Amino acid sequence: MAFTFLQDKIIAAQTKIVMIIMDGLGGLPREPGGKTELETAVKPNLDTLAAQSELGLTVPVGPGITAGSGPGHLAIFGYDPIEYEIGRGALEALGVDFDLGLNDVAARGNFCSVDGKGNLIDRRAGRLPTEVSFELAKLLRTIKVDGVEFFIEPVKEHRFAFVIRGQGLGDSMTETDPFKTGVPPLKLHALTPDSEKTAQCVNKFVEKARLLMAGKQPANMVLLRGFTKFPRIPMYQELFALNPAAIAINGMYRGVARLAGMTILDLEGDTLKDEFAALEKHWNEFDFFYLHVKKTDTCGETGDFTGKVGVIEEVDAQIPRLLALRPDVVIIGGDHSTPSVLQSHSWHPVPVLLYSKYARGHGNPQFGERACASGGLGILPAKDIMPIALAHAGRIAKYGA
Amino acid sequence: MAFTFLQDKIIAAQTKIVMIIMDGLGGLPREPGGKTELETAVKPNLDTLAAQSELGLTVPVGPGITAGSGPGHLAIFGYDPIEYEIGRGALEALGVDFDLGLNDVAARGNFCSVDGKGNLIDRRAGRLPTEVSFELAKLLRTIKVDGVEFFIEPVKEHRFAFVIRGQGLGDSMTETDPFKTGVPPLKLHALTPDSEKTAQCVNKFVEKARLLMAGKQPANMVLLRGFTKFPRIPMYQELFALNPAAIAINGMYRGVARLAGMTILDLEGDTLKDEFAALEKHWNEFDFFYLHVKKTDTCGETGDFTGKVGVIEEVDAQIPRLLALRPDVVIIGGDHSTPSVLQSHSWHPVPVLLYSKYARGHGNPQFGERACASGGLGILPAKDIMPIALAHAGRIAKYGA
């Protein structure tokens, strides 16, 4: 269904939608026939909600495709993740609240270690403390190249966002990161003529950085990869007539949310309780809230089945706070699966729950992969969840007489 | 999801995928509320496998569309059967191992019987013995028409593959088979200008055949239908980086498999056991195996409910041989439904089972239409099965960060 078709039918309403994304929610049993993380979790509040909700499984990108967090989020936000592709560089810059412009090219930077011959010893400079990165970023900001401007924003540990601003900058280039040690960082090459200028300027930057950082062991060089411009995606305001807010601790998720036009809410701390506190505090200011839970994915990635179960149980404990706000529509789902037995993202469809007073509650006794597989939403593209949520929120007009 | 998108993400792996296609697998109960053929079959091995597998129903072509074996196979092989249409003629030629060229036009031929006035008495000449067809084919090969070449390859009984080779041959034509008796075979008419030459040459061939075969009762004439050129479809090697093999007794299935780039394995005999023996024999040579079971369809077509149940039980008995090979991914499904109560192909979605150690085994107690309808794969286009199987085989890289 094309956006233009949907947009024509969007109507105003005084309803509120809350989308809780447990990152990497979908899981797998530890042994054949066993329970997944979500099925194992003791979660009375989510299960009660499930009985009154429509359940389903979302397919983030397409059959068999394992989604990264960027495409996974774009999809659950309602965008076609193949049509709207966000590069890593743009995501990194967005994640640190950098005001990326339409002529800017962004990349992901690493501080790294090279030996006397310039060969890489450690691509991450021993996962440098963030404070050191902060000082090195200040140093790199002194680098000047004619006709362009550089921005260096520390992210966390050895990582920084790199942005080059100027006229006539394309983003179709190779990367300087060789993805192995024992060889020197690579020179950039433009892959299309419109990126020649970018490649030349970035190569000059890298050479100046090398001279400037000499002797700054362990971080005496930089690696740059994932060069991308800001993708233009229609924002929630124009697309869905929503005034959206995002509650997320990690930069990447704040980045994708900002792309969709969401206001990023400040948090008092970095716990789940702080996130729900922000939801309560700003309840009257917005009509769409995205709340991101990172640790389900972190546990999945490290193979911590019990830990992932625990995070789901923590979310469950916050559900009464959410329901006390009397939201009209609640979506609880994930951006992709991260089964702890795989220790990585996976292609498996992701459980989703859609609650509203107009949901066909089928009395499913549990929010889990099994119940969702035969739920009322079916197995559906993740991008279809938002139109359904808008309908439940009374925000889509009838088509035809 | 476009092939180019998928192709970009294909990665090499040392995993093996086996696809067992029971032709016309999907069925219907004999009485309302009864069990289908698949549900009736006593099949402990398939049911045990189902409990550890993801189940679903595949839609071969589209809602309500009854698929022939050609499109049904293309779909389960991963191709859009509407985009990639294979004509009957091309399939017939492929089925007898004819090396069809890109400028060739193929048709399905029948030896038939006409009376003294040239009117059809029997469209199949009493299902002529194959040996007789073999001699008649030799006779037809003596026919010459300027500017083109003809190839006549006996298939089985009254059937033969007909190929015309030359420059400027289109395949958009009517057929000579009137599909009834009491009338003469029809003259061919080109439906587009680029097929004028083909129509003229084939009409000359048919006229010469009539003269040449006069008195050769019962087979004293030919019928030609299904004129088609070789379709170009991307092969498994380039598309999925697989080295694929096919195990099939019947020509048509070998034909479609060859189109997808599969090596056709020789069989010692024509039983199911011979097919599984070929799988065992060639196990180390390939990483994808397609194994075709014809008789489920044959029984369905003749209304033999019990016979179809029996064939499924025969397949079940071979499953331990398959599992002993320790395949990474097993797909068991069909190319279309052939309910024996209908005695024909049907539009009903087809049960499918996808086994791998990463399957969300939901503990479904049975492989059957009912369990598949609420399975973890959902009701999905048949062409989506291969990407999912490739994911389970560790052969698709993540999309985005």
Side-chain angles (χ1 to χ4, degrees):
Chain A
M1 196 167 62
F3 275 157
T4 48
F5 180 86
L6 186 62
Q7 256 176 307
D8 282 349
K9 282 147 208 75
I10 294 292
I11 49 178
Q14 298 299 312
T15 50
K16 288 182 194 285
I17 302 172
V18 178
M19 174 185 279
I20 297 179
I21 295 303
M22 288 191 252
D23 208 292
L25 178 62
L28 280 174
R30 273 180 291 197
E31 64 285 329
K35 291 181 175 181
T36 66
E37 297 91 326
L38 183 60
E39 288 169 346
T40 302
V42 177
K43 46 180 195 331
N45 297 303
L46 285 168
D47 288 344
T48 300
L49 199 61
Q52 304 164 43
S53 299
E54 311 221 15
L55 304 185
L57 289 173
T58 54
V59 177
V61 177
I65 303 298
T66 295
S69 289
H73 268 82
L74 278 187
I76 198 83
F77 286 168
Y79 303 91
D80 181 330
I82 296 177
E83 183 180 352
Y84 298 103
E85 192 176 355
I86 312 178
R88 186 80 201 197
L91 277 175
E92 198 79 347
L94 291 168
V96 291
D97 292 317
F98 185 83
D99 193 7
L100 199 64
L102 293 173
N103 295 319
D104 300 350
V105 175
R108 178 174 176 173
N110 273 18
F111 290 112
C112 63
S113 312
V114 293
D115 64 17
K117 293 175 182 168
N119 290 328
L120 276 162
I121 306 166
D122 186 335
R123 288 179 52 253
R124 298 184 182 88
R127 291 195 180 269
L128 213 59
T130 307
E131 313 83 74
V132 180
S133 285
F134 197 84
E135 291 306 312
L136 288 172
K138 281 186 190 169
L139 188 66
L140 293 183
R141 284 183 193 130
T142 64
I143 297 174
K144 306 290 171 202
V145 170
D146 277 358
V148 294
E149 235 184 316
F150 298 109
F151 301 87
I152 291 85
E153 301 292 338
V155 175
K156 197 181 172 188
E157 297 175 342
H158 57 286
R159 288 165 47 201
F160 62 91
F162 171 88
V163 176
I164 172 168
R165 179 172 291 170
Q167 293 303 311
L169 298 179
D171 62 359
S172 183
M173 288 179 295
T174 58
E175 308 184 313
T176 81
D177 191 341
F179 290 95
K180 58 182 174 186
T181 54
V183 295
L186 304 168
K187 278 223 165 214
L188 279 183
H189 297 287
L191 297 171
T192 56
D194 71 350
S195 298
E196 292 285 1
K197 178 179 169 184
T198 328
Q200 283 168 18
C201 294
V202 176
N203 280 332
K204 283 181 193 166
F205 173 91
V206 172
E207 180 53 22
K208 290 187 181 192
R210 188 180 68 79
L211 297 172
L212 207 55
M213 295 175 73
K216 300 274 179 190
Q217 275 77 352
N220 58 357
M221 186 48 171
V222 295
L223 292 174
L224 298 172
R225 61 191 167 106
F227 288 89
T228 42
K229 296 183 93 161
F230 201 145
R232 301 193 206 198
I233 72 174
M235 292 194 178
Y236 265 33
Q237 288 84 345
E238 45 167 317
L239 196 56
F240 301 141
L242 287 172
N243 180 22
I247 301 165
I249 290 160
N250 301 69
M252 168 181 278
Y253 312 98
R254 292 204 300 264
V256 193
R258 189 177 291 111
L259 216 54
M262 300 185 198
T263 297
I264 312 301
L265 301 184
D266 287 332
L267 298 172
E268 298 287 321
D270 63 359
T271 69
L272 204 55
K273 288 182 184 174
D274 294 315
E275 294 192 86
F276 279 84
L279 180 69
E280 290 167 337
K281 183 177 172 188
H282 296 279
W283 185 248
N284 293 323
E285 299 162 44
F286 301 92
D287 50 21
F288 177 92
F289 294 88
Y290 151 63
L291 189 154
H292 179 255
V293 179
K294 177 63 186 171
K295 287 183 181 166
T296 29
D297 180 63
T298 316
C299 291
E301 293 267 13
T302 55
D304 185 358
F305 189 100
T306 310
K308 191 172 167 188
V309 169
V311 177
I312 296 166
E313 293 176 347
E314 277 181 53
V315 171
D316 187 73
Q318 302 301 314
I319 296 300
R321 294 176 73 177
L322 164 66
L323 297 180
L325 296 168
R326 308 187 67 78
D328 297 281
V329 180
V330 176
I331 301 151
I332 300 179
D335 53 344
H336 53 74
S337 290
T338 307
S340 42
V341 296
L342 289 179
Q343 300 192 25
S344 69
H345 291 202
S346 82
W347 62 92
H348 298 86
V350 190
V352 69
L353 168 166
L354 192 147
Y355 164 80
S356 94
K357 62 181 167 182
Y358 307 120
R360 280 187 184 142
H362 290 303
N364 300 292
Q366 202 196 36
F367 181 39
E369 282 80 355
R370 219 165 303 215
C372 287
S374 58
L377 292 172
I379 300 175
L380 77 172
K383 73 183 174 66
D384 290 351
I385 286 293
M386 272 304 292
I388 298 172
L390 289 162
H392 278 269
R395 289 173 171 271
I396 306 187
K398 185 164 70 173
Y399 172 56
Chain B
M1 199 167 65
F3 274 159
T4 47
F5 180 83
L6 186 62
Q7 256 175 308
D8 281 349
K9 280 147 208 75
I10 295 292
I11 47 179
Q14 298 297 315
T15 50
K16 288 183 193 284
I17 302 172
V18 177
M19 175 185 277
I20 297 180
I21 295 302
M22 289 191 252
D23 207 292
L25 177 62
L28 280 173
R30 274 180 290 198
E31 59 281 319
K35 290 182 176 182
T36 66
E37 298 90 326
L38 183 60
E39 289 169 347
T40 302
V42 178
K43 47 181 195 328
N45 297 305
L46 284 168
D47 289 342
T48 301
L49 199 60
Q52 304 164 42
S53 298
E54 311 220 13
L55 304 185
L57 289 173
T58 54
V59 177
V61 177
I65 304 298
T66 295
S69 289
H73 268 82
L74 278 187
I76 198 86
F77 285 168
Y79 303 92
D80 181 331
I82 297 178
E83 183 179 351
Y84 298 102
E85 191 176 355
I86 311 178
R88 186 82 198 196
L91 277 176
E92 199 78 347
L94 291 169
V96 290
D97 292 317
F98 185 83
D99 193 6
L100 198 64
L102 293 173
N103 295 318
D104 299 351
V105 175
R108 178 172 176 173
N110 273 20
F111 291 113
C112 61
S113 311
V114 294
D115 64 17
K117 294 176 181 166
N119 290 328
L120 277 163
I121 307 166
D122 187 332
R123 289 178 53 252
R124 298 184 183 88
R127 290 195 180 270
L128 212 60
T130 308
E131 314 82 75
V132 181
S133 284
F134 197 82
E135 292 305 314
L136 287 172
K138 282 186 189 167
L139 188 65
L140 293 184
R141 284 183 194 133
T142 63
I143 297 174
K144 306 288 172 204
V145 171
D146 276 356
V148 294
E149 235 183 315
F150 297 108
F151 300 87
I152 292 84
E153 301 294 337
V155 175
K156 197 181 173 188
E157 298 175 342
H158 58 285
R159 288 164 46 200
F160 63 90
F162 171 88
V163 176
I164 172 169
R165 178 172 292 172
Q167 293 303 311
L169 298 179
D171 63 359
S172 183
M173 288 178 296
T174 59
E175 308 184 314
T176 82
D177 191 341
F179 290 95
K180 56 183 175 188
T181 54
V183 294
L186 305 169
K187 277 221 165 213
L188 279 184
H189 297 287
L191 297 172
T192 55
D194 71 348
S195 299
E196 291 287 1
K197 177 178 171 185
T198 328
Q200 283 169 19
C201 294
V202 176
N203 281 330
K204 285 181 192 165
F205 174 91
V206 172
E207 181 52 23
K208 292 188 181 193
R210 190 180 65 80
L211 298 170
L212 208 55
M213 295 175 73
K216 301 273 181 191
Q217 276 78 351
N220 58 358
M221 186 48 171
V222 296
L223 292 174
L224 298 172
R225 60 190 166 105
F227 288 90
T228 41
K229 296 183 93 160
F230 201 145
R232 301 195 204 196
I233 72 174
M235 293 194 176
Y236 266 33
Q237 288 83 345
E238 45 168 315
L239 196 56
F240 301 141
L242 287 172
N243 180 22
I247 301 166
I249 289 159
N250 302 70
M252 168 181 278
Y253 312 98
R254 292 203 299 265
V256 194
R258 190 178 291 109
L259 217 52
M262 299 185 199
T263 297
I264 313 299
L265 301 184
D266 287 331
L267 298 172
E268 298 287 320
D270 63 359
T271 69
L272 202 55
K273 286 182 186 173
D274 294 315
E275 293 192 85
F276 278 85
L279 180 69
E280 290 166 338
K281 184 177 171 189
H282 297 278
W283 184 247
N284 293 324
E285 299 162 44
F286 302 91
D287 49 21
F288 176 93
F289 294 87
Y290 151 64
L291 189 153
H292 180 254
V293 178
K294 176 64 186 169
K295 287 182 180 166
T296 30
D297 181 63
T298 316
C299 292
E301 292 268 13
T302 56
D304 184 359
F305 189 100
T306 311
K308 191 172 167 189
V309 169
V311 178
I312 295 166
E313 292 176 348
E314 277 180 55
V315 172
D316 187 73
Q318 301 302 314
I319 296 300
R321 292 177 74 177
L322 165 65
L323 297 181
L325 297 168
R326 309 188 67 79
D328 297 282
V329 180
V330 176
I331 302 151
I332 299 179
D335 54 345
H336 53 75
S337 290
T338 307
S340 43
V341 296
L342 290 179
Q343 299 190 27
S344 69
H345 291 203
S346 81
W347 62 93
H348 300 85
V350 190
V352 70
L353 167 165
L354 193 149
Y355 165 80
S356 96
K357 63 180 166 180
Y358 307 121
R360 277 185 185 144
H362 289 307
N364 301 291
Q366 203 195 36
F367 181 39
E369 283 80 353
R370 224 164 304 213
C372 288
S374 57
L377 292 171
I379 300 175
L380 76 173
K383 72 183 172 64
D384 289 351
I385 287 292
M386 272 304 292
I388 297 172
L390 290 163
H392 278 268
R395 289 173 171 270
I396 306 187
K398 184 163 76 171
Y399 171 56

